[in-house]
C-alpha cells in the first residue's frame, strides 16, 4: 500500500484533489470516477469545488459512479449528500451521475440497476469494471462502501453490486446496496481516505499485519491490490508503528 500522510485533513484533501486532477489530465476522453464517501464528503468536496481545481479540472469529461446507497428512508443519503456538496456546485449534468436516484427500489432492484448502468458506461476486463479512479472512505471497522467486516460473500462475489443490510445507531435494520470488493480489483487507481484518530487502530492493525486486520474489508482489498493509495492525516496514522516488546 502506498501511504500519503499529511498533517491535517485539509492538507490531505488538497493533496488528494491534486491526485485526482493529475489522473484526469493523464487520461484521454471520459474519466470514470467512482466514489464512496460519508463523513469526509464535505471536506473533499470543499477542496474540489474551489480554486485551483474548480477551474483546472475538465469536469465535463468526468462521469461519477456512487458505490453504495442506503435504501428505505426518506432520502437517498449518499446521492443527496454528493448532489448538494459536489454535483450542483460543479454543474455536473445528470447523465454524468450514475447512481440510484429512485428511493422506491428494493436492494435487489437497486443492485441490478447499478450493474446495468456501470456495464453500459465503463470498459470491463474479465467482467470487472475498470474505473479510472475509485475513492473509498475507510470506516472505523475497516469497512468500505457497504461492505462490513467478515462479509466474505461480498469480498469475492461475481456481482458488481449486491444488496446488503446493516444496523443504524439505534439498532434498527438498514437496507443498502453496495459495490462488491471484487468489482474494484481492476480499478486503474484505488484510494482509501482515512481521517481522524478514530481509525488509528484500524490503520495500525493493517500496516503492522496484526491478526485483527484479517476481518477488515480494507485489509482484504489492500492485500490483493498493491497499487492501493492510502491518504490519511497524522491523527489517523498515529498507530502506524507499534513498539514490539
Amino acid at each position: 500500500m502506498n501511504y500519503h500522510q499529511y498533517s491535517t485533513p485539509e492538507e490531505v484533501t488538497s493533496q488528494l484533489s491534486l491526485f485526482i486532477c493529475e489522473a484526469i489530465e493523464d487520461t484521454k476522453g471520459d474519466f470514470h470516477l467512482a466514489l464512496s464517501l460519508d463523513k469526509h464528503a464535505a471536506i473533499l468536496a470543499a477542496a474540489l469545488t474551489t480554486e485551483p481545481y474548480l477551474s483546472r479540472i475538465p469536469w465535463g469529461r468526468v462521469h461519477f459512479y456512487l458505490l453504495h446507497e442506503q435504501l428505505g428512508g426518506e432520502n437517498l443519503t449518499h446521492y443527496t449528500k454528493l448532489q448538494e456538496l459536489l454535483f450542483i456546485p460543479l454543474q455536473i449534468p445528470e447523465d454524468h451521475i450514475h447512481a440510484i436516484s429512485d428511493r422506491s427500489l428494493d436492494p435487489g432492484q437497486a443492485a441490478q440497476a447499478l450493474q446495468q448502468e456501470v456495464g453500459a458506461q465503463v470498459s470491463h476486463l474479465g467482467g470487472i469494471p475498470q474505473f479510472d479512479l475509485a475513492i473509498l472512505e475507510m470506516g472505523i471497522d475497516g469497512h468500505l462502501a457497504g461492505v462490513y467486516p467478515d462479509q466474505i460473500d461480498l469480498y469475492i462475489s461475481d456481482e458488481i453490486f449486491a444488496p446488503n443490510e446493516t444496523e443504524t445507531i439505534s439498532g434498527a435494520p438498514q437496507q443498502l446496496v453496495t459495490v462488491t470488493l471484487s468489482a474494484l480489483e481492476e480499478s486503474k487507481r484505488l484510494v482509501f481516505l482515512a481521517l481522524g484518530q478514530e481509525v488509528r487502530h484500524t490503520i495500525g492493525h493493517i500496516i503492522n499485519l496484526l491478526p485483527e486486520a484479517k476481518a477488515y474489508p480494507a485489509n482484504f482489498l489492500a492485500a490483493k491490490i498493491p497499487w492501493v493509495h492510502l491518504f490519511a492525516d497524522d491523527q489517523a496514522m498515529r498507530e502506524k508503528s507499534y513498539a514490539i516488546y
Side-chain angles (χ1 to χ4, degrees):
M1 190 154 56
N2 303 284
Y3 307 117
H4 305 260
Q5 180 179 350
Y6 303 97
S7 298
T8 66
E10 290 77 14
E11 194 174 355
V12 173
T13 51
S14 176
Q15 292 298 319
L16 177 52
S17 297
L18 177 60
F19 184 91
I20 296 168
C21 179
E22 292 178 342
I24 295 170
E25 291 175 343
D26 288 343
T27 302
K28 294 181 179 180
D30 289 343
F31 187 88
H32 302 284
L33 174 58
L35 298 174
S36 175
L37 299 171
D38 186 15
K39 293 181 180 179
H40 310 322
I43 190 170
L44 178 57
L48 291 171
T49 58
T50 55
E51 299 299 347
Y53 304 111
L54 176 62
S55 299
R56 178 175 169 180
I57 293 176
W59 293 110
R61 292 202 289 115
V62 181
H63 284 253
F64 293 87
Y65 302 81
L66 303 196
L67 296 178
H68 77 273
E69 188 57 80
Q70 296 180 10
L71 300 169
E74 294 184 2
N75 294 308
L76 294 164
T77 305
H78 198 204
Y79 175 81
T80 302
K81 180 182 293 184
L82 290 185
Q83 183 83 341
E84 177 183 346
L85 294 171
L86 195 63
F87 303 145
I88 291 175
L90 294 177
Q91 299 182 333
I92 304 299
E94 283 295 324
D95 62 353
H96 281 214
I97 302 169
H98 308 285
I100 294 299
S101 57
D102 182 356
R103 65 182 180 87
S104 69
L105 297 178
D106 66 38
Q109 292 171 328
Q112 185 176 18
L114 283 172
Q115 196 143 314
Q116 292 174 346
E117 185 82 4
V118 170
Q121 298 289 333
V122 183
S123 62
H124 284 57
L125 183 63
I128 301 174
Q130 286 190 294
F131 297 114
D132 291 299
L133 171 60
I135 301 173
L136 298 99
E137 183 177 325
M138 186 192 300
I140 298 173
D141 55 1
H143 81 260
L144 299 172
V147 182
Y148 293 86
D150 290 326
Q151 293 186 330
I152 303 300
D153 288 348
L154 296 180
Y155 293 13
I156 59 174
S157 174
D158 291 332
E159 303 297 330
I160 299 172
F161 289 90
N164 198 11
E165 185 174 291
T166 186
E167 291 185 351
T168 63
I169 296 175
S170 64
Q174 173 67 66
Q175 293 185 322
L176 54 90
V177 61
T178 180
V179 71
T180 63
L181 298 191
S182 52
L184 298 169
E185 292 182 8
E186 295 298 339
S187 299
K188 296 177 183 178
R189 304 166 186 85
L190 185 59
V191 168
F192 297 161
L193 175 60
L195 301 175
Q197 64 176 351
E198 289 182 332
V199 294
R200 69 188 188 280
H201 294 300
T202 304
I203 291 176
H205 294 159
I206 293 172
I207 292 176
N208 294 283
L209 306 178
L210 295 183
E212 293 90 337
K214 292 181 179 179
Y216 303 154
N219 182 71
F220 178 87
L221 206 52
K224 292 195 72 175
I225 304 176
W227 60 87
V228 169
H229 295 264
L230 173 65
F231 278 76
D233 63 355
D234 286 349
Q235 289 295 312
M237 297 290 277
R238 280 174 57 189
E239 302 291 335
K240 69 177 179 180
S241 296
Y242 288 169
I244 305 299
Y245 295 99

